[in-house]
Amino acid sequence: MLENLSMEWFILASLCIASAAVAVWFLTPQPRNRGPEQELLVTDGRTDAVFLFDDQNLIGWSTGARRFLGDQIDHANWSVLRDRLVRSYPGLPQSPGFIKDVGHLTVAGTNDADNREAHCEWIDGITRVQLRRAEGEEEQAAVNQELTTLRAAVHQAPYPVWLQSEDATVTWTNLAYDRLNQKIRGRDASVSAPLFPDLDAPMSSGKAERISIVLPETDKKLWYNVSATETEAGWLCHAMDVNAVVDAEIAQRNFVQTLAKTFAQLSIGLAIFDRNRQLVLFNPVLIDLTALPASFLSSRPSMMTFFDRLRDQRMLPEPKNYSSWRHQMDDLLEAASEGRYQETWSLPSGSVYSVSGRPHPDGAIAFLFEDITAEITLTRQFRTELELGQSILDTFQDAVAVFGTDGSLTFSNATYHDMWQTDPDASFAKYSIMDACRTWQDMSAATSAWGDIRDFVAGGEGRTDWWARVAKRDGTELICQVNALPNGSTLVRFRSENLALTPPAQERFALEASLDTTPQKPE
């Protein structure tokens, strides 16, 4: 009986102790660890804290993790942890999905992390983040040295570099960015707000975009080529100072405008094509000469399009066919690029243009269009008048020769050619007074008149007209009359005295001789 009572007391005491133990365990705060996650929270001597995530949600943590986050642990998620770690571990991904893609990632800490690293790995649908001391002192020392060098290189870079989060907050900057920030906003200004707010274009295109920021108090714009590269730590941005380039472009544009204003005063049409054979500069006269609309010229047409349009406007010499015209254009472009294109275009409208092509620096080509219709018309009229005068003098029975101030023969008629059996126009060489005297001497009797004529042609002002009789070797008697012309030239005229003249001609000649007061040169 006593033994049964003792056994009952023993059982009752055991139940009370077990109940108390369960109550104590239940009332003690426990991490929200369930099942296999408990094994993932096991730490070693290097580990400071372990965090377990199911996507963005924190589902487990170690004692060190609780100490690290404190009161935030109950409401923490991936973003909360990343915000706490990103300064010390700037390479920490923005989303656990990146860990799923790569499998595992070790992020080295900055100097603030005291030689620690964040090791992230994907294990059966759970993202495990472990804060631990770096392994291997020598290896870590080398890594730290390399990281120090890289940080120093980026920090001391001569152009602004910064890290910007998705919510447009600057989380890291280098020295050049800090200096630019102080220059724009003052020495004590925060760097969290980006200096370059318009980064949508670089982020979407992946190419550098030119962005300006205004310098306070002066309203001067500072220009930078800004590029942005997406990383797991955010957008890594670089800004290259291109103020010198912008100033050069403005100077070039002003220079081109000055040239355009200068060319606008010219009477010659100008068209300049760049190395890509696109029209980059033209003046208003070109519009008047070619009848091409300004809108077409302003659209920077190619060179072939430009000449195609000229052909359509009938502002080119009419080709026999399109194929030959294409070959002609190819020859034109080649000649212009070598600086040897010079042509006169006779247009269907009757106008005449002088067109030349000249090479310019950097592979450009300039074409000059000049309307020479008036000049050509005047030349043609002058030539017609000369031909008419020549035709009239060719009907004269007197042989006429005119010598210029340099002694060269400038004019002679058909009677002169027949009389002295010579044709000065048949030779490209100049026919001089010396050549004429040699011809006269060979075909006439000796006389001093030829030397006197030579001296008269070479003489200056104050020359007095004179005449003399000369005889050809065939017995023909000639009267040689020498007259000074107003422009310094000399007229030499030979008149025949033979009886072959018709009676009216003989009477007229006798009358002229009786009335002629021109002194005779003594023989």
Side-chain angles (χ1 to χ4, degrees), residues 434-457:
M434 300 297 294
D435 299 322
C437 288
R438 201 173 292 116
T439 300
W440 298 335
Q441 288 174 353
D442 292 342
M443 298 184 64
S444 62
T447 178
S448 62
W450 312 134
D452 294 336
I453 294 176
R454 183 174 59 247
D455 296 338
F456 191 90
V457 170

Side-chain angles (χ1 to χ4, degrees), residues 300-483:
R300 296 170 57 91
S302 66
M303 188 179 297
M304 292 307 299
T305 303
F306 174 81
F307 283 105
D308 269 334
R309 193 68 175 267
L310 283 181
R311 179 175 177 270
D312 295 339
Q313 296 286 100
R314 298 176 61 84
M315 298 304 296
L316 280 173
E318 190 64 31
K320 294 181 180 179
N321 56 66
Y322 187 79
S323 176
S324 65
W325 178 81
R326 273 293 180 181
H327 289 301
Q328 179 183 354
M329 286 298 101
D330 293 338
D331 295 340
L332 178 151
L333 300 182
E334 181 180 356
S337 62
E338 297 175 359
R340 54 182 177 83
Y341 182 77
Q342 178 72 50
E343 294 288 344
T344 299
W345 290 359
S346 296
L347 306 182
S349 63
S351 299
V352 181
Y353 286 177
S354 174
V355 183
S356 60
R358 294 290 183 270
H360 273 239
D362 200 26
I365 294 179
F367 283 93
L368 302 176
F369 298 82
E370 182 179 5
D371 187 353
I372 58 173
T373 305
E375 178 184 344
I376 293 298
T377 301
L378 182 61
T379 301
R380 289 172 179 172
Q381 291 176 350
F382 181 68
R383 184 181 297 115
T384 301
E385 291 175 358
L386 286 178
E387 291 174 352
L388 177 61
Q390 180 74 50
S391 299
I392 293 174
L393 289 178
D394 283 344
T395 63
F396 286 6
Q397 293 185 350
D398 290 353
V400 177
V402 178
F403 296 90
T405 56
D406 61 347
S408 61
L409 181 69
T410 59
F411 183 83
S412 60
N413 66 352
T415 306
Y416 178 88
H417 300 163
D418 294 339
M419 180 179 291
W420 297 106
Q421 299 178 12
T422 182
D423 186 5
D425 297 333
S427 174
F428 288 105
K430 286 185 177 181
Y431 189 84
S432 67
I433 185 62
M434 300 297 294
D435 299 322
C437 288
R438 201 173 292 116
T439 300
W440 298 335
Q441 288 174 353
D442 292 342
M443 298 184 64
S444 62
T447 178
S448 62
W450 312 134
D452 294 336
I453 294 176
R454 183 174 59 247
D455 296 338
F456 191 90
V457 170
E461 303 245 344
R463 297 180 300 169
T464 303
D465 298 344
W466 59 274
W467 64 276
R469 283 187 172 85
V470 296
K472 294 182 66 177
R473 292 187 186 278
D474 60 3
T476 304
E477 298 288 336
L478 301 174
I479 292 179
C480 175
Q481 187 168 345
V482 182
N483 299 97

Side-chain angles (χ1 to χ4, degrees), residues 268-286:
I268 298 176
L270 175 68
I272 297 181
F273 297 86
D274 62 13
R275 63 162 60 185
N276 299 320
R277 300 298 182 259
Q278 286 187 301
L279 183 64
V280 294
L281 182 64
F282 64 93
N283 63 346
V285 179
L286 185 69

Side-chain angles (χ1 to χ4, degrees), residues 397 495-513:
Q397 293 185 350
R495 181 179 303 170
S496 176
E497 285 190 315
N498 63 15
L499 299 178
L501 293 174
T502 60
Q506 294 180 16
E507 294 176 0
R508 186 175 67 253
F509 180 80
L511 179 60
E512 289 179 358

